[in-house]
Amino acid sequence: MRSRGDGWWLAGGPLLGSALGAVDSLVNHVPVWRGEVGLARAERSGWSQVAEFASLILDAGWAWAAAAVLAGWLVSAQARPAVGLLRGAVAGALALVFATAAYYGLDVLFDGGAWWSGTTAYWLVGSVVLGPALGAVGASIRRPGPAGPLAALAVPVGAALQMVVLPPASESLMAQPVRLTVWVSAAAATVLIVRAGARGWAPARPARPDRS
């Protein structure tokens, strides 16, 4: 890791966000490239079903929120708490802004049309409003005590909650596999985070006297 004064961390959010937006757009276009848009979602080929599985995850709000949290966590390494929170907030916003730009940019490349629209503006504003808070949550994962594990629980809890409140559309064959995958992953992540947090909170055992 280079010195704290370097601006290396500024690239973290844009790189992560661009990758998310680009991959999301790509998997959404697999049925188009295979000429299966006119088919019911349940009747599409195996490759389209694989793309559908990935799309239902990458299109979910929790996945985009997780990208901002991850960006905040990555850029806050080896930084003082206050600096880490600031870096995390900036990285979270940049991650979502670049994800939105990449997503709609590839949509224009594949489908034509204009990049700027009311939908693009809506998600860009949402990125600027919500991104800093999510990035700060990611940076808070590095904090000692209960604050770190509680911040880390934001993503698995959010993912599980979305599967209850806003589950994937039932007409998709991948809806149930996606729900099960997210629930199992969220449960496993929660257990690991709680166990790691419990170890961090456990008081140190007193050293045994040397009887030699």
Short mmCIF file of all heavy atoms in Angstrom, two decimals, residues 13-29 33 54-55 58-60 63-64 67-68 94-108 110 115 127:
data_model
loop_
_atom_site.label_atom_id
_atom_site.label_comp_id
_atom_site.label_asym_id
_atom_site.label_seq_id
_atom_site.Cartn_x
_atom_site.Cartn_y
_atom_site.Cartn_z
N GLY A 13 -13.81 3.25 -6.38
CA GLY A 13 -15.24 3.34 -6.67
C GLY A 13 -15.57 3.29 -8.16
O GLY A 13 -16.42 2.51 -8.58
N PRO A 14 -14.89 4.11 -8.99
CA PRO A 14 -15.18 4.07 -10.42
C PRO A 14 -14.93 2.70 -11.06
O PRO A 14 -15.72 2.25 -11.90
CB PRO A 14 -14.23 5.12 -11.00
CG PRO A 14 -14.07 6.11 -9.89
CD PRO A 14 -14.06 5.29 -8.64
N LEU A 15 -13.83 2.04 -10.68
CA LEU A 15 -13.54 0.73 -11.27
C LEU A 15 -14.59 -0.29 -10.89
O LEU A 15 -15.10 -1.05 -11.73
CB LEU A 15 -12.15 0.26 -10.83
CG LEU A 15 -10.96 1.01 -11.44
CD1 LEU A 15 -9.65 0.53 -10.80
CD2 LEU A 15 -10.92 0.81 -12.94
N LEU A 16 -14.92 -0.34 -9.60
CA LEU A 16 -15.91 -1.30 -9.14
C LEU A 16 -17.28 -1.03 -9.73
O LEU A 16 -17.98 -1.94 -10.20
CB LEU A 16 -15.97 -1.27 -7.61
CG LEU A 16 -16.87 -2.28 -6.92
CD1 LEU A 16 -16.40 -3.71 -7.23
CD2 LEU A 16 -16.88 -2.06 -5.42
N GLY A 17 -17.67 0.24 -9.73
CA GLY A 17 -18.97 0.59 -10.29
C GLY A 17 -19.08 0.33 -11.77
O GLY A 17 -20.10 -0.18 -12.25
N SER A 18 -18.04 0.68 -12.52
CA SER A 18 -18.06 0.44 -13.96
C SER A 18 -18.19 -1.04 -14.27
O SER A 18 -18.92 -1.44 -15.20
CB SER A 18 -16.79 1.00 -14.60
OG SER A 18 -16.71 2.40 -14.45
N ALA A 19 -17.49 -1.88 -13.51
CA ALA A 19 -17.58 -3.32 -13.72
C ALA A 19 -19.00 -3.82 -13.46
O ALA A 19 -19.56 -4.62 -14.24
CB ALA A 19 -16.58 -4.05 -12.82
N LEU A 20 -19.61 -3.35 -12.36
CA LEU A 20 -20.98 -3.78 -12.04
C LEU A 20 -21.96 -3.36 -13.13
O LEU A 20 -22.75 -4.18 -13.62
CB LEU A 20 -21.41 -3.17 -10.71
CG LEU A 20 -22.89 -3.32 -10.34
CD1 LEU A 20 -23.25 -4.79 -10.17
CD2 LEU A 20 -23.23 -2.53 -9.07
N GLY A 21 -21.93 -2.09 -13.53
CA GLY A 21 -22.86 -1.62 -14.54
C GLY A 21 -22.69 -2.32 -15.87
O GLY A 21 -23.68 -2.67 -16.53
N ALA A 22 -21.43 -2.54 -16.28
CA ALA A 22 -21.17 -3.18 -17.57
C ALA A 22 -21.64 -4.63 -17.57
O ALA A 22 -22.31 -5.08 -18.52
CB ALA A 22 -19.68 -3.11 -17.90
N VAL A 23 -21.31 -5.37 -16.53
CA VAL A 23 -21.71 -6.79 -16.47
C VAL A 23 -23.23 -6.91 -16.39
O VAL A 23 -23.83 -7.79 -17.03
CB VAL A 23 -21.03 -7.49 -15.28
CG1 VAL A 23 -21.57 -8.91 -15.12
CG2 VAL A 23 -19.53 -7.53 -15.47
N ASP A 24 -23.86 -6.03 -15.64
CA ASP A 24 -25.32 -6.06 -15.53
C ASP A 24 -25.97 -5.86 -16.89
O ASP A 24 -26.90 -6.58 -17.27
CB ASP A 24 -25.77 -4.99 -14.55
CG ASP A 24 -27.21 -5.16 -14.10
OD1 ASP A 24 -27.85 -6.15 -14.50
OD2 ASP A 24 -27.71 -4.31 -13.34
N SER A 25 -25.50 -4.87 -17.63
CA SER A 25 -26.05 -4.63 -18.96
C SER A 25 -25.79 -5.81 -19.90
O SER A 25 -26.67 -6.20 -20.68
CB SER A 25 -25.45 -3.35 -19.55
OG SER A 25 -25.96 -3.11 -20.85
N LEU A 26 -24.61 -6.39 -19.81
CA LEU A 26 -24.26 -7.51 -20.69
C LEU A 26 -25.19 -8.71 -20.47
O LEU A 26 -25.71 -9.29 -21.43
CB LEU A 26 -22.81 -7.92 -20.47
CG LEU A 26 -21.74 -6.98 -21.05
CD1 LEU A 26 -20.36 -7.36 -20.53
CD2 LEU A 26 -21.76 -7.03 -22.57
N VAL A 27 -25.38 -9.10 -19.21
CA VAL A 27 -26.21 -10.28 -18.97
C VAL A 27 -27.66 -10.01 -19.34
O VAL A 27 -28.38 -10.94 -19.76
CB VAL A 27 -26.09 -10.76 -17.50
CG1 VAL A 27 -24.68 -11.20 -17.19
CG2 VAL A 27 -26.55 -9.69 -16.52
N ASN A 28 -28.10 -8.78 -19.22
CA ASN A 28 -29.48 -8.46 -19.61
C ASN A 28 -29.70 -8.59 -21.11
O ASN A 28 -30.84 -8.77 -21.56
CB ASN A 28 -29.82 -7.03 -19.18
CG ASN A 28 -30.05 -6.90 -17.69
OD1 ASN A 28 -30.28 -7.89 -17.00
ND2 ASN A 28 -29.99 -5.69 -17.17
N HIS A 29 -28.62 -8.52 -21.89
CA HIS A 29 -28.76 -8.57 -23.35
C HIS A 29 -28.56 -9.96 -23.94
O HIS A 29 -28.68 -10.13 -25.16
CB HIS A 29 -27.78 -7.59 -24.00
CG HIS A 29 -28.24 -6.17 -23.97
ND1 HIS A 29 -28.04 -5.35 -22.87
CD2 HIS A 29 -28.93 -5.41 -24.87
CE1 HIS A 29 -28.55 -4.16 -23.12
NE2 HIS A 29 -29.10 -4.16 -24.31
N TRP A 33 -29.38 -11.20 -27.89
CA TRP A 33 -28.40 -11.73 -28.83
C TRP A 33 -28.75 -13.14 -29.29
O TRP A 33 -28.39 -13.54 -30.39
CB TRP A 33 -27.01 -11.73 -28.17
CG TRP A 33 -26.53 -10.35 -27.84
CD1 TRP A 33 -26.84 -9.19 -28.49
CD2 TRP A 33 -25.68 -9.98 -26.75
NE1 TRP A 33 -26.23 -8.12 -27.89
CE2 TRP A 33 -25.50 -8.56 -26.81
CE3 TRP A 33 -25.03 -10.69 -25.75
CZ2 TRP A 33 -24.71 -7.88 -25.91
CZ3 TRP A 33 -24.25 -10.00 -24.85
CH2 TRP A 33 -24.10 -8.61 -24.92
N ALA A 54 -28.06 -14.45 -13.23
CA ALA A 54 -27.13 -13.36 -12.92
C ALA A 54 -27.84 -12.01 -12.95
O ALA A 54 -27.58 -11.14 -12.11
CB ALA A 54 -25.97 -13.36 -13.92
N SER A 55 -28.75 -11.84 -13.89
CA SER A 55 -29.46 -10.58 -14.03
C SER A 55 -30.34 -10.29 -12.82
O SER A 55 -30.40 -9.15 -12.34
CB SER A 55 -30.32 -10.60 -15.30
OG SER A 55 -31.07 -9.42 -15.42
N LEU A 58 -27.87 -9.11 -10.16
CA LEU A 58 -27.20 -7.83 -10.43
C LEU A 58 -28.17 -6.67 -10.58
O LEU A 58 -27.80 -5.52 -10.34
CB LEU A 58 -26.34 -7.96 -11.69
CG LEU A 58 -25.17 -8.94 -11.60
CD1 LEU A 58 -24.46 -9.03 -12.94
CD2 LEU A 58 -24.20 -8.52 -10.51
N ASP A 59 -29.41 -6.94 -10.97
CA ASP A 59 -30.40 -5.88 -11.11
C ASP A 59 -30.99 -5.47 -9.76
O ASP A 59 -31.67 -4.44 -9.67
CB ASP A 59 -31.55 -6.32 -12.03
CG ASP A 59 -31.19 -6.17 -13.50
OD1 ASP A 59 -30.22 -5.48 -13.81
OD2 ASP A 59 -31.91 -6.75 -14.34
N ALA A 60 -30.76 -6.27 -8.73
CA ALA A 60 -31.39 -6.02 -7.43
C ALA A 60 -30.75 -4.81 -6.76
O ALA A 60 -29.53 -4.59 -6.85
CB ALA A 60 -31.26 -7.25 -6.55
N ALA A 63 -27.72 -5.49 -4.46
CA ALA A 63 -26.42 -5.73 -5.10
C ALA A 63 -25.71 -4.41 -5.39
O ALA A 63 -24.49 -4.29 -5.22
CB ALA A 63 -26.60 -6.54 -6.38
N TRP A 64 -26.45 -3.42 -5.84
CA TRP A 64 -25.84 -2.11 -6.11
C TRP A 64 -25.44 -1.44 -4.80
O TRP A 64 -24.38 -0.81 -4.72
CB TRP A 64 -26.82 -1.23 -6.89
CG TRP A 64 -26.92 -1.64 -8.33
CD1 TRP A 64 -27.25 -2.88 -8.81
CD2 TRP A 64 -26.65 -0.83 -9.48
NE1 TRP A 64 -27.22 -2.88 -10.19
CE2 TRP A 64 -26.86 -1.65 -10.62
CE3 TRP A 64 -26.28 0.49 -9.64
CZ2 TRP A 64 -26.69 -1.17 -11.91
CZ3 TRP A 64 -26.12 0.98 -10.94
CH2 TRP A 64 -26.32 0.16 -12.06
N ALA A 67 -22.23 -2.91 -3.70
CA ALA A 67 -21.06 -2.40 -4.42
C ALA A 67 -20.55 -1.12 -3.77
O ALA A 67 -19.34 -0.92 -3.63
CB ALA A 67 -21.42 -2.14 -5.88
N ALA A 68 -21.46 -0.25 -3.36
CA ALA A 68 -21.05 0.99 -2.69
C ALA A 68 -20.43 0.69 -1.33
O ALA A 68 -19.42 1.32 -0.95
CB ALA A 68 -22.26 1.92 -2.53
N LEU A 94 -19.11 7.49 -6.00
CA LEU A 94 -18.48 7.27 -7.31
C LEU A 94 -18.83 5.89 -7.87
O LEU A 94 -19.04 5.74 -9.08
CB LEU A 94 -16.96 7.43 -7.20
CG LEU A 94 -16.45 8.85 -6.99
CD1 LEU A 94 -14.94 8.84 -6.80
CD2 LEU A 94 -16.82 9.75 -8.17
N ALA A 95 -18.88 4.90 -6.99
CA ALA A 95 -19.20 3.54 -7.45
C ALA A 95 -20.58 3.50 -8.10
O ALA A 95 -20.75 2.94 -9.20
CB ALA A 95 -19.13 2.56 -6.28
N LEU A 96 -21.57 4.12 -7.47
CA LEU A 96 -22.92 4.07 -8.02
C LEU A 96 -23.08 4.98 -9.23
O LEU A 96 -23.80 4.64 -10.18
CB LEU A 96 -23.92 4.46 -6.93
CG LEU A 96 -24.02 3.48 -5.76
CD1 LEU A 96 -25.14 3.89 -4.81
CD2 LEU A 96 -24.25 2.05 -6.24
N VAL A 97 -22.40 6.12 -9.23
CA VAL A 97 -22.46 7.01 -10.40
C VAL A 97 -21.86 6.32 -11.63
O VAL A 97 -22.45 6.33 -12.72
CB VAL A 97 -21.73 8.34 -10.11
CG1 VAL A 97 -21.50 9.11 -11.41
CG2 VAL A 97 -22.53 9.18 -9.13
N PHE A 98 -20.70 5.69 -11.45
CA PHE A 98 -20.06 5.03 -12.58
C PHE A 98 -20.81 3.76 -12.98
O PHE A 98 -20.82 3.40 -14.16
CB PHE A 98 -18.60 4.72 -12.25
CG PHE A 98 -17.66 5.86 -12.54
CD1 PHE A 98 -17.59 6.95 -11.69
CD2 PHE A 98 -16.86 5.85 -13.67
CE1 PHE A 98 -16.74 8.02 -11.95
CE2 PHE A 98 -16.01 6.91 -13.96
CZ PHE A 98 -15.95 8.00 -13.09
N ALA A 99 -21.42 3.09 -12.03
CA ALA A 99 -22.23 1.91 -12.37
C ALA A 99 -23.42 2.33 -13.24
O ALA A 99 -23.74 1.67 -14.24
CB ALA A 99 -22.71 1.22 -11.10
N THR A 100 -24.07 3.41 -12.86
CA THR A 100 -25.20 3.91 -13.64
C THR A 100 -24.75 4.34 -15.03
O THR A 100 -25.40 4.02 -16.04
CB THR A 100 -25.86 5.10 -12.91
OG1 THR A 100 -26.30 4.68 -11.62
CG2 THR A 100 -27.03 5.64 -13.70
N ALA A 101 -23.63 5.07 -15.10
CA ALA A 101 -23.13 5.54 -16.39
C ALA A 101 -22.76 4.37 -17.29
O ALA A 101 -23.07 4.37 -18.50
CB ALA A 101 -21.92 6.45 -16.17
N ALA A 102 -22.09 3.36 -16.73
CA ALA A 102 -21.69 2.20 -17.54
C ALA A 102 -22.89 1.39 -17.99
O ALA A 102 -22.96 0.94 -19.15
CB ALA A 102 -20.73 1.32 -16.73
N TYR A 103 -23.86 1.22 -17.11
CA TYR A 103 -25.05 0.43 -17.44
C TYR A 103 -25.80 1.05 -18.62
O TYR A 103 -26.07 0.38 -19.62
CB TYR A 103 -25.95 0.33 -16.21
CG TYR A 103 -27.22 -0.45 -16.44
CD1 TYR A 103 -27.24 -1.83 -16.29
CD2 TYR A 103 -28.40 0.19 -16.82
CE1 TYR A 103 -28.40 -2.55 -16.51
CE2 TYR A 103 -29.56 -0.52 -17.05
CZ TYR A 103 -29.56 -1.90 -16.87
OH TYR A 103 -30.71 -2.61 -17.10
N TYR A 104 -26.13 2.32 -18.50
CA TYR A 104 -26.90 2.96 -19.57
C TYR A 104 -26.02 3.24 -20.79
O TYR A 104 -26.53 3.30 -21.92
CB TYR A 104 -27.56 4.24 -19.05
CG TYR A 104 -28.70 3.93 -18.11
CD1 TYR A 104 -28.59 4.18 -16.75
CD2 TYR A 104 -29.87 3.37 -18.59
CE1 TYR A 104 -29.63 3.88 -15.88
CE2 TYR A 104 -30.91 3.06 -17.73
CZ TYR A 104 -30.79 3.31 -16.37
OH TYR A 104 -31.82 3.00 -15.52
N GLY A 105 -24.72 3.38 -20.58
CA GLY A 105 -23.82 3.56 -21.72
C GLY A 105 -23.79 2.33 -22.61
O GLY A 105 -23.86 2.44 -23.85
N LEU A 106 -23.70 1.14 -22.00
CA LEU A 106 -23.72 -0.08 -22.81
C LEU A 106 -25.09 -0.33 -23.41
O LEU A 106 -25.21 -0.86 -24.51
CB LEU A 106 -23.29 -1.28 -21.96
CG LEU A 106 -21.79 -1.42 -21.72
CD1 LEU A 106 -21.48 -2.75 -21.05
CD2 LEU A 106 -21.00 -1.33 -23.02
N ASP A 107 -26.15 0.04 -22.68
CA ASP A 107 -27.49 -0.09 -23.26
C ASP A 107 -27.61 0.72 -24.55
O ASP A 107 -28.19 0.27 -25.54
CB ASP A 107 -28.54 0.40 -22.26
CG ASP A 107 -28.93 -0.68 -21.26
OD1 ASP A 107 -28.36 -1.79 -21.31
OD2 ASP A 107 -29.82 -0.42 -20.43
N VAL A 108 -27.04 1.93 -24.54
CA VAL A 108 -27.07 2.76 -25.75
C VAL A 108 -26.22 2.12 -26.85
O VAL A 108 -26.60 2.11 -28.02
CB VAL A 108 -26.55 4.18 -25.43
CG1 VAL A 108 -26.33 4.98 -26.72
CG2 VAL A 108 -27.53 4.91 -24.53
N PHE A 110 -25.63 -1.05 -27.34
CA PHE A 110 -26.28 -2.25 -27.88
C PHE A 110 -27.63 -1.94 -28.54
O PHE A 110 -27.98 -2.58 -29.54
CB PHE A 110 -26.52 -3.26 -26.76
CG PHE A 110 -25.25 -3.78 -26.14
CD1 PHE A 110 -25.17 -3.99 -24.77
CD2 PHE A 110 -24.14 -4.07 -26.91
CE1 PHE A 110 -24.00 -4.46 -24.18
CE2 PHE A 110 -22.96 -4.54 -26.34
CZ PHE A 110 -22.90 -4.74 -24.98
N TRP A 115 -28.35 8.43 -24.31
CA TRP A 115 -27.88 8.02 -22.99
C TRP A 115 -28.63 8.76 -21.89
O TRP A 115 -29.01 8.18 -20.89
CB TRP A 115 -26.38 8.28 -22.87
CG TRP A 115 -25.81 7.89 -21.53
CD1 TRP A 115 -25.45 6.65 -21.13
CD2 TRP A 115 -25.57 8.76 -20.42
NE1 TRP A 115 -24.98 6.68 -19.83
CE2 TRP A 115 -25.04 7.97 -19.37
CE3 TRP A 115 -25.73 10.13 -20.20
CZ2 TRP A 115 -24.68 8.49 -18.13
CZ3 TRP A 115 -25.37 10.67 -18.97
CH2 TRP A 115 -24.85 9.85 -17.96
N SER A 127 -27.75 7.89 -6.80
CA SER A 127 -26.36 7.50 -6.53
C SER A 127 -25.67 8.54 -5.67
O SER A 127 -24.94 8.20 -4.73
CB SER A 127 -25.60 7.33 -7.85
OG SER A 127 -26.18 6.33 -8.65
#
